[in-house]
């Protein structure tokens, strides 16, 4: 596995334990309210201790979370990591000088080791006399040994490490605004690869120390901020103008530069994306709208993000968040901030700059952002995910191609056997804002905030052996609902149910695996029987059976076996367009009583042989007929 793919897995795993941070921030915010003045001091005390408890045990949460993430939710891996942390705590507490405490970095190390050991040895077999210690038991044994040796080693080198961290802190401090500028650019670059969590782990959870009034040592910009350190919050404050104002400015530019006929849909999608980014700080849907079509604009975005970090540092702004730099965290954590009011005017200026700059660039360079070209819009996923999931799975290369599928807030993170089997165009039509291939079978697909729901549906499909048939596009052209075919027999589904296409090229290919069961004498229509028993009719044009002159040429005959994408018929497109009632080419299942449920891709442009345009789940056969 290449190093970038390995980092993707680690970044995905590190993301898991950070999901507890919003709860901590809300509890601390509730605890900061004047409950004593309201006669309820116990609420303040309970909320404060609850919030601080999460931060106090954060290293343990990172150990378990990283282990589970790397081990594909393998419970023994999380338990092994936790046992390692207990060993570390006891050895360093009793053999050290009292200054060594579990940190986020230590938790991540133990989580990584536990995850790797679990993946390597969970199925380990020993000789029968020793098999009691095989499998997952060997994971616990080896983790215990590693933890003991590592903890003893840490007792010896802890003073050297502390001096190194102090030097790193001093270096970053001496760099001042330039150091924040570099951090801001790196953060935005790594966001494109989903690896920014690795960078944030250093700056948010490792840089700087603060001793709380209770005597606890807190490490990292984020924990120090919530512990009350007045010097913390410098590595988070500069992100607020970008998330709350700049990126929504890009969304508005995309809306205003969309074609008039597509503008209503684009407005709905990107206005929602802008609000999501403003309130929560989830930005990928906006960023991936221009990352691949105009990477030079993303470079400008990277530089401006770094400048925002520099500006907030220069103005002495300290602010922080538990989840991301959105308005919710801005308000919740305002009581711990310094000069945070300046973020609003800075953000407004940034929003105007981004809006003007990106709208000018989209118009001047004809950047194909969503709404500028047909087939580029993102889909509204609400309520459609269970029906689209089979098509997404097929576009990812099918169940056999998937090794592992996980998700973070805005993207699917996959390990596949062959990333060349992934149909990027089909994924785009199914709502993806971006496809990133990191090598070694590691792939990311950006679906926005519905990614977690998509992951669940895809996993359900992978765990079930559903009797389903997947259809590819039989022609190159535009897909349309069967009801839009200008023919009463097809539109009312008297022949069967399915979809239709408006062909733009002169070739008809097979949409499925099957056998040719009927080829009409005029060769304008062909029937295919699939191994599952479906009967599929492909009919080129409307009322084309009356055309004379041999304008259709079949390259297969009855009884031939065919596969998806195999050429079936060549036809005279120009002649049919001129003399037939319509070019609409239905693809229907003539025995729809066999079909339990249907899934259709968005009705847009498709390529010949493109996978994932239609999927059907069949009723299981039984003695009495079909299941009801």
């Amino acid at each position: 596995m290449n190093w970038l793919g390995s980092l993707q897995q680690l970044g995905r795993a590190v993301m898991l334990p950070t999901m507890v941070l919003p709860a901590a921030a809300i509890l601390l915010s509730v605890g900061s309210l004047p409950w004593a003045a309201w006669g309820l001091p116990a609420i303040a005390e309970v909320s404060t201790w609850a919030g601080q408890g999460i931060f106090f045990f954060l290293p343990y949460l990172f150990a378990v979370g990283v282990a589970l993430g790397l081990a594909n939710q393998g419970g023994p891996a999380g338990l092994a990591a936790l046992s390692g942390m207990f060993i570390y705590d006891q050895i360093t507490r009793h053999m050290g000088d009292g200054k060594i405490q579990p940190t986020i970095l230590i938790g991540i190390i133990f989580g990584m080791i536990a995850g790797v050991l679990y993946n390597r040895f969970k199925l380990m077999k020993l000789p029968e006399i020793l098999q009691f210690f095989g499998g997952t038991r060997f994971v616990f044994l080896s983790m215990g040994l590693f933890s003991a040796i590592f903890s003893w080693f840490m007792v010896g080198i802890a003073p050297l490490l502390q001096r190194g961290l102090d030097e790193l802190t001093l270096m970053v401090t001496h760099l001042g605004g330039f150091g924040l500028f570099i951090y801001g650019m790196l953060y935005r670059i790594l966001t494109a690869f989903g690896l920014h969590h690795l960078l944030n782990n250093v700056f948010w959870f490792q840089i700087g120390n603060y001793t709380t009034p209770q005597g606890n040592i807190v490490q990292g910009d984020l924990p120090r901020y919530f512990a009350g350190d007045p010097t913390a919050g410098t590595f988070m404050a500069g992100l607020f103008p970008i998330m709350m104002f700049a990126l929504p400015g890009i969304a508005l530019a995309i809306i205003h530069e969309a074609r008039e006929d597509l503008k209503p849909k684009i407005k709905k999608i990107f206005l929602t994306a802008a609000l999501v980014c403003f309130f929560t700080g989830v930005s990928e849907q906006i960023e991936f709208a221009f990352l691949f079509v105009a990477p030079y604009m993303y470079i400008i975005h990277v530089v401006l993000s770094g400048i925002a970090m520099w500006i907030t540092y220069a103005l002495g702004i300290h602010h922080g968040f538990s989840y991301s730099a959105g308005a919710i965290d801005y308000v919740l954590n305002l009581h711990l901030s310094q000069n945070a009011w300046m973020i609003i005017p800075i953000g407004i200026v940034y929003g105007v700059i981004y809006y003007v700059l990106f709208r000018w660039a989209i118009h001047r360079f004809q950047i194909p952002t969503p709404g500028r070209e047909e087939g580029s819009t993102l889909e509204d996923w609400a309520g459609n995910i269970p029906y689209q999931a089979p098509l997404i799975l097929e576009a990812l290369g099918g169940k056999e191609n998937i090794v592992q599928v996980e998700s973070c807030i805005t993207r699917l993170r996959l390990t596949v056997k062959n990333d060349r089997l992934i149909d990027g165009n089909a994924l785009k039509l199914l709502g993806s804002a971006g496809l990133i291939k990191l090598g070694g079978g590691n792939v990311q697909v950006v679906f926005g905030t519905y990614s977690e729901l998509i992951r669940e549906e895809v996993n359900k499909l992978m765990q079930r052996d559903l009797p389903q048939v997947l259809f590819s596009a039989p022609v190159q052209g535009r897909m349309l609902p069967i009801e839009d075919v200008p023919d009463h027999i097809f539109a009312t589904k008297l022949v069967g149910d399915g979809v239709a296409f408006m062909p733009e090229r002169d070739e008809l290919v097979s949409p499925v695996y099957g056998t040719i069961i009927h080829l009409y004498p005029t060769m304008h229509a062909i029937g295919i029987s699939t191994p599952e028993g479906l009967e599929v009719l492909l009919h080129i044009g409307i009322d084309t059976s009356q055309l004379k002159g041999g304008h259709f040429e079949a390259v297969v005959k009855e009884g031939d076996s065919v596969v998806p994408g195999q050429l079936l018929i060549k036809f005279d497109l120009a002649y049919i367009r001129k003399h037939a009632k319509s070019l609409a080419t239905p693809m229907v299942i003539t025995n729809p009583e066999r079909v339990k449920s249907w899934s259709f891709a968005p009705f847009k442009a498709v390529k010949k042989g493109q996978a994932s345009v239609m999927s059907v789940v069949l009723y299981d056969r039984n003695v009495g007929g079909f299941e009801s």
Side-chain angles (χ1 to χ4, degrees):
M1 183 178 294
N2 67 345
W3 66 272
L4 199 57
S6 299
L7 286 178
Q8 175 194 245
Q9 287 191 327
L10 181 57
R12 177 179 61 211
V14 169
M15 183 64 185
L16 181 61
T18 63
M19 294 186 179
V20 304
L21 295 178
I26 292 173
L27 287 167
L28 289 174
S29 298
V30 171
S32 67
L33 296 175
W35 292 105
W38 300 338
L40 298 170
I43 294 181
E45 189 173 1
V46 169
S47 299
T48 300
W49 280 112
Q52 290 181 356
I54 292 178
F55 282 105
F56 182 80
F57 289 103
L58 207 53
Y60 299 86
L61 295 173
F62 266 82
V64 175
V66 169
L68 291 175
L70 293 178
N72 195 22
Q73 309 304 312
L79 191 57
L82 187 61
S83 66
M85 288 296 292
F86 289 150
I87 292 172
Y88 179 86
D89 176 72
Q90 289 299 303
I91 290 178
T92 55
R93 179 183 301 180
H94 291 93
M95 297 183 66
D97 57 4
K99 295 182 179 179
I100 304 176
Q101 293 186 0
T103 64
I104 303 294
L105 179 59
I106 296 298
I108 290 176
I109 291 174
F110 276 89
M112 290 172 56
I113 298 298
V116 170
L117 290 175
Y118 178 81
N119 291 333
R120 176 66 179 83
F121 298 115
K122 62 183 177 181
L123 300 177
M124 181 181 181
K125 292 184 178 180
L126 297 173
E128 186 175 353
I129 192 173
L130 299 174
Q131 183 53 37
F132 177 80
F133 301 103
T136 55
R137 292 187 181 91
F138 187 81
V139 175
F140 288 104
L141 288 173
S142 54
M143 189 67 195
L145 180 61
F146 166 81
S147 303
I149 295 174
F150 180 82
S151 302
W152 186 29
F153 177 73
M154 283 298 297
V155 171
I157 70 167
L160 298 177
L161 288 176
Q162 186 59 58
R163 283 198 293 270
L165 285 174
D166 291 341
E167 290 296 326
L168 178 60
T169 303
L170 288 174
M171 182 182 69
V172 173
T173 303
H174 289 157
L175 286 175
F178 183 72
L180 271 294
F181 171 72
I182 297 298
Y183 165 76
M185 291 200 302
L186 289 175
Y187 175 91
R188 196 51 59 191
I189 291 172
L190 293 177
T191 296
F193 298 96
L195 303 176
H196 51 295
H197 306 299
L198 300 178
L199 176 74
N200 294 338
N201 173 65
V202 176
F203 289 94
W204 291 358
F205 299 108
Q206 304 300 323
I207 298 296
N209 294 304
Y210 175 68
T211 303
T212 67
Q214 294 80 22
N216 297 320
I217 299 176
V218 180
Q219 199 172 37
D221 198 51
L222 192 151
R224 287 190 294 114
Y225 179 81
F226 285 101
D229 185 356
T231 65
T234 55
F235 289 97
M236 296 180 281
L239 296 175
F240 282 98
I242 302 298
M243 301 298 194
M244 292 173 58
F245 298 96
L247 288 167
I250 296 176
L252 292 179
I254 290 173
I255 292 172
H256 291 154
E257 286 300 319
R259 283 171 23 191
E260 288 301 320
D261 58 325
L262 298 177
K263 188 170 289 186
K265 191 169 191 177
I266 292 297
K267 182 177 181 181
K268 176 183 177 183
I269 294 170
F270 278 90
L271 189 57
T272 300
L275 291 173
V276 168
C277 190
F278 176 80
F279 283 109
T280 70
V282 175
S283 62
E284 278 88 342
Q285 185 171 354
I286 298 174
E287 289 180 303
F288 278 89
F290 66 91
L291 171 60
F292 298 107
V293 295
Y296 49 87
M297 293 304 296
Y298 196 84
I299 294 174
I300 295 174
H301 173 46
V302 165
V303 175
L304 290 174
S305 297
I307 293 174
M309 298 293 296
W310 199 336
I311 291 173
T312 54
Y313 173 83
L315 295 177
I317 300 173
H318 296 258
H319 204 353
F321 49 79
S322 63
Y323 174 67
S324 188
I328 294 175
D329 261 302
Y330 177 85
V331 173
L332 282 177
N333 308 320
L334 196 59
H335 63 286
L336 296 171
S337 66
Q338 298 179 46
N339 300 321
W341 66 269
M342 295 183 185
I343 288 176
I344 303 302
I346 293 172
I348 292 174
V349 172
Y350 252 78
V352 172
I353 291 174
Y354 267 64
Y355 172 79
V356 173
L357 176 63
F358 275 79
R359 187 169 184 184
W360 171 82
I362 291 170
H363 183 77
R364 173 66 177 81
F365 301 108
Q366 295 298 302
I367 299 173
T369 49
R372 300 277 295 175
E373 60 175 354
E374 192 67 31
S376 66
T377 58
L378 300 176
E379 291 303 304
D380 183 0
W381 280 96
N384 294 329
I385 295 173
Y387 306 102
Q388 303 282 23
L391 302 177
I392 294 174
L393 181 58
E394 176 66 10
L396 292 172
K399 181 164 60 175
E400 296 76 14
N401 193 41
I402 305 297
V403 177
Q404 182 177 350
V405 54
E406 295 291 341
S407 65
C408 62
I409 303 301
T410 58
R411 66 188 80 188
L412 294 181
R413 296 172 179 261
L414 305 117
T415 302
V416 297
K417 295 178 181 177
N418 186 354
D419 59 16
R420 294 183 180 180
L421 298 179
I422 296 177
D423 191 333
N425 188 59
L427 288 172
K428 181 180 178 182
L429 294 178
L430 289 167
S432 167
L435 171 66
I436 308 169
K437 297 182 179 181
L438 299 174
N442 293 281
V443 177
Q444 297 178 4
V445 187
V446 180
F447 276 114
T449 52
Y450 289 111
S451 295
E452 175 64 21
L453 297 178
I454 295 172
R455 180 195 66 81
E456 291 180 1
E457 292 298 329
V458 169
N459 274 333
K460 288 178 183 177
L461 290 173
M462 293 180 62
Q463 293 167 7
R464 290 183 293 175
D465 189 18
L466 292 176
Q468 64 178 347
V469 180
L470 300 161
F471 288 75
S472 301
V475 296
Q476 179 166 319
R478 180 181 175 85
M479 180 173 162
L480 65 153
I482 193 67
E483 294 85 357
D484 291 352
V485 173
D487 180 83
H488 176 73
I489 294 176
F490 281 111
T492 56
K493 305 179 182 179
L494 293 177
V495 176
D497 200 354
V499 294
F501 301 86
M502 294 296 292
E504 297 174 353
R505 299 292 168 85
D506 59 356
E507 292 183 339
L508 179 79
V509 301
S510 176
V512 291
Y513 292 95
T515 302
I516 305 299
I517 58 174
H518 189 65
L519 180 62
Y520 285 73
T522 54
M523 302 182 190
H524 74 286
I526 191 169
I528 303 173
S529 177
T530 73
E532 298 81 7
L534 289 182
E535 296 177 359
V536 182
L537 172 66
L538 298 166
H539 193 287
I540 303 172
I542 301 301
D543 291 345
T544 48
S545 62
Q546 310 301 321
L547 298 180
K548 308 295 183 180
H551 301 286
F552 302 91
E553 179 186 354
V555 297
V556 293
K557 60 183 182 299
E558 292 182 4
D560 286 354
S561 296
V562 294
V563 298
Q566 180 177 337
L567 180 62
L568 302 177
I569 299 173
K570 292 182 66 68
F571 53 92
D572 190 337
L573 181 66
Y575 185 87
I576 297 172
R577 178 183 286 115
K578 182 177 181 180
H579 294 90
K581 179 180 179 181
S582 171
L583 273 174
T585 299
M587 178 179 73
V588 297
I589 296 173
T590 57
N591 55 342
E593 67 276 2
R594 286 279 292 119
V595 178
K596 183 176 183 180
S597 64
W598 303 73
S599 298
F600 302 101
F603 297 104
K604 297 180 179 179
V606 295
K607 295 181 179 180
K608 179 183 65 177
Q610 176 181 309
S612 308
V613 299
M614 186 173 81
S615 170
V616 297
V617 175
L618 308 180
Y619 285 107
D620 291 330
R621 292 184 181 274
N622 57 33
V623 177
F626 299 122
E627 287 184 353
S628 58

